[in-house]
Structure formats: C-alpha cells, structure tokens
Amino acid sequence: MENNWYMLTVIGKDRPGIVAGITTELYKEGCYLGEASMIRLGGDFTIMMMVQYDGNEQALENCLNPVAHKMSLHLHLDKIKGKLHDHRTPDVSITVYGADKSGIVAKVATELSGAGLDIFNLESIVGGSKEKPIYIMQMEGHADKGIDILKQKIEKLTSKEIEVHLEIIDTMLG
Amino acid sequence: MLEVLTIPDPRLKEISAPVEEFNAELRLFIAELEETMRASPGGVGIAASQVGSLQRIVIVDVSSKPDITHHGRLVLVNPEILAWEGMAKGREGCLSVPDYTGNVIRAKKIGLSAFDEYGKPVSYECEGYEARAIQHEVDHLDGILFLDRLVSRRTDLYKR
C-alpha cells in the first residue's frame, strides 16, 4: 500500500458538504489522505488531494461515484508517486496586482521563471467590480538563481498597469 | 545531546515553572540545551520544554544571520517580555514541528528582562529576527506553538 498513491481531482458547483462527503467515503474505503489543496474558485469548489489506497483505480472511483453523482461533482484520478515529507522551503513571496488584462500571468510567470523562480504555490483572485476588474496574484517559491536577479526582473515588470512586489521569506527556526 | 520532542508530545503544551536555584546543575543543563540547539541545522533558538524539561529557560542566538541587529548568544532564564512595538508577519519553523513552516505575526520590537545562567538580572531591547526568535521561544514556556498563531498566506492581502 505504501506506494499506491493517487491524485484525486474533484470539481463541482460549490455547496456545503463536499469535503465531508468525499472524505467520509474515502475513510470508509480505508484510504489514507496526504496533502491537499481545496479552494472555492469562482462558484465552483475544487479539490486536489493525495489519496493512498490499497485497491485499483476503478475500485476507488466506484467508491466515490455515488457521492459524486449525488452532489454533481466531476472526479478524476491520476496514479502518482506520492512523496511526503519532502517540502522545499520558499525564500521569496511575490505579489502581483493590477487592472485585469489578458496575458498578465503569462508575462509575469515567463519573466520570473527566466530569472530562476521555482513556484511552489500560487493563488489568484479577480477582485474589483464587473466594470473595473482587478487581478491579484500571490505566489511563493524559491529563487534558484538568487534573489538579486529576480529583483531586477521585477523592477522591469512593474509598470503603470501592474505592481509586482517581492518579499524575502527568511524562515526563523526555533 | 538531548532529544527534541515533537508534536503531539503533550509536554509541549505544558506551562513551564520558573527557575528558583541558579546552580551548577542548571548550568550543565543549559550547556546541553545549547548543544542540542546548535546541532539542529538552521536552529537559532530553543526552549527547555522542547527537550521535556519544564523550566522557564530559553536560548537564542541569531548571530549566524548576516546584516541584522542582534545581541549574540542569549541565555534567558525566567524571561519576561515587558514591552511590544509594531507588528510584522514572518515565516517560522520549529524543531518540534518538523517539515512545516508557516506565517506568524509578531511584535517588531520587544523589551524584556530575564536572568542569565548565573542568576544575574539582564534586560534587552530586541528587534526584527531576534525579537521574533525570542517571542517564539518564550511562547514555548507557556505551551504555545507557532502552529497556535498561524495566519493564512492570504490573510494580509485579502482581509478587509
């Protein structure tokens, strides 16, 4: 069972009880849960969750199908290696915000990736109003080529339209 | 070298008692505690409760960090934080919580009084990284872990 990991993806219209419904079925089936990201995006609720399970993919799907059907959720399973206890510590936090415009993520991500940024997590939100949407993105990662080159790139990215800020994450271990 | 307790060891949630006698036995324990802290890669602080000794003792030494204000090696017995100023979010990890780091809000500057390992009263004004380390360690003496003070990555940005 040790290496029998799946990544379970769940998507559906947000409603109370999705997390409880899914995790209860997994528990009853004898699954062990690993790391997960669960978040409401727009009006949908999304789950990406590591699941360790003794049986095969079909059996796992069969155990989840009734609750998925009841709550109108889409499921997807991928076989993964499922490596735990192997976290990298981020050393930078970067915030980007500005008027919502197509291409903003691609531009920022491409430039920062070129400057050595390895993104560990990224969250973004479209805020503001319907008439004046604003895009806010926050990410954490590691500056593989050093922080200076990333800072230089960020200075160039910051314009009238977008603000990009870098904050060093200096972890205190006590 | 002493064994560092990790969660969910219940001793990490206990309140430690003040030290009453400053003797050779205390100094021997402090030396072992310091050795344990220095043997932990990246560790800049430790509290006695982290090795299962429920006495109000912490050690902090952030001098390995470049370009920060600090007081070098600090042995703080019966520490009392008396003044707090400002607030800052920063990333913390803990020898007692392996493989996890999280954001915590701490005072930027603190004023504290304590005793050294010989029983001499000492007082310090600390800021930034050193102040963060001391607040983290003093929390241990009250059974508080950084996990009890976590703030969401999103909180500072999205909170209205």
Side-chain angles (χ1 to χ4, degrees):
Chain A
M1 169 144 171
E2 196 161 303
N3 294 315
N4 221 17
W5 281 99
Y6 297 91
M7 186 65 80
L8 168 67
T9 309
V10 181
I11 302 174
K13 189 170 177 297
D14 192 23
R15 57 185 279 180
I18 295 176
V19 179
I22 293 284
T23 55
T24 300
E25 291 310 316
L26 293 171
Y27 173 66
K28 286 198 302 204
E29 191 67 12
C31 295
Y32 172 80
L33 306 185
E35 300 181 358
S37 158
M38 308 191 195
I39 191 166
R40 187 185 148 105
L41 299 175
D44 288 302
F45 193 75
T46 69
I47 299 178
M48 296 276 282
M49 180 160 59
M50 293 169 63
V51 178
Q52 199 178 37
Y53 178 57
D54 230 351
N56 63 28
E57 203 168 318
Q58 193 55 53
L60 188 53
E61 215 174 300
N62 289 347
C63 103
L64 289 171
N65 273 340
V67 65
H69 182 72
K70 195 174 122 201
M71 303 186 102
S72 306
L73 304 169
H74 290 280
L75 302 178
H76 180 78
L77 287 166
D78 286 293
K79 192 94 177 68
I80 56 164
K81 273 197 176 155
K83 211 170 171 191
L84 289 176
H85 315 295
D86 189 29
H87 295 112
R88 287 184 71 197
T89 306
D91 63 0
V92 288
S93 163
I94 294 170
T95 306
V96 182
Y97 64 91
D100 190 20
K101 252 182 93 176
S102 64
I104 184 170
V105 183
K107 185 178 172 191
V108 171
T110 305
E111 292 289 329
L112 297 184
S113 152
L117 178 67
D118 186 355
I119 299 172
F120 298 165
N121 59 67
L122 183 154
E123 285 176 356
S124 68
I125 275 194
V126 179
S129 61
K130 235 181 200 172
E131 298 72 35
K132 272 181 85 177
I134 52 167
Y135 193 82
I136 305 157
M137 175 160 75
Q138 197 177 25
M139 61 187 115
E140 287 184 347
H142 192 267
D144 288 351
K145 294 182 187 169
I147 286 166
D148 286 345
I149 177 167
L150 212 49
K151 275 187 175 164
Q152 287 166 20
K153 199 59 106 181
I154 282 171
E155 260 176 48
K156 283 185 195 154
L157 272 171
T158 302
S159 66
K160 274 185 194 163
E161 286 173 326
I162 58 167
E163 286 273 345
V164 188
H165 292 288
L166 178 148
E167 202 183 307
I168 293 171
I169 301 176
D170 194 3
T171 303
M172 193 290 297
L173 186 62
Chain B
M1 275 281 291
L2 304 166
E3 188 197 346
V4 176
L5 308 181
T6 54
I7 56 162
D9 193 301
R11 286 170 287 180
L12 291 167
K13 302 301 287 178
E14 296 277 325
I15 293 176
S16 296
V19 170
E20 285 176 4
E21 275 189 58
F22 293 81
N23 53 25
E25 192 189 340
L26 174 75
R27 287 185 285 278
L28 181 65
F29 169 72
I30 287 172
E32 285 182 322
L33 187 63
E34 184 172 353
E35 189 195 355
T36 307
M37 175 186 86
R38 296 197 187 280
S40 312
V44 296
I46 196 165
S49 57
Q50 287 181 278
V51 297
S53 173
L54 300 177
Q55 312 182 74
R56 301 191 78 83
I57 305 166
V58 308
I59 303 174
V60 167
D61 186 349
V62 300
S63 60
S64 59
K65 291 279 162 186
D67 309 324
I68 59 166
T69 309
H70 64 79
H71 294 85
R73 170 187 178 272
L74 292 175
V75 172
L76 305 171
V77 181
N78 300 342
E80 298 266 6
I81 299 176
L82 303 166
W84 294 260
E85 201 185 310
M87 282 198 296
K89 187 191 72 178
R91 191 64 139 243
E92 299 184 15
C94 183
L95 305 176
S96 299
V97 187
D99 196 35
Y100 181 78
T101 65
N103 291 330
V104 178
I105 291 171
R106 303 279 188 191
K108 280 185 187 168
K109 287 186 182 179
I110 53 168
L112 70 126
S113 70
F115 297 89
D116 71 8
E117 62 257 66
Y118 297 95
K120 188 182 115 193
V122 290
S123 62
Y124 298 97
E125 302 277 322
C126 302
E127 61 180 68
Y129 196 86
E130 184 177 59
R132 175 170 295 278
I134 292 170
Q135 290 170 84
H136 175 115
E137 300 312 335
V138 170
D139 261 357
H140 275 300
L141 305 182
D142 294 319
I144 299 168
L145 299 171
F146 82 106
L147 297 178
D148 299 313
R149 297 194 187 273
L150 283 181
V151 293
S152 151
R153 282 198 309 278
R154 301 160 69 99
T155 308
D156 54 328
L157 191 63
Y158 303 127
K159 205 165 152 189
R160 293 187 183 214

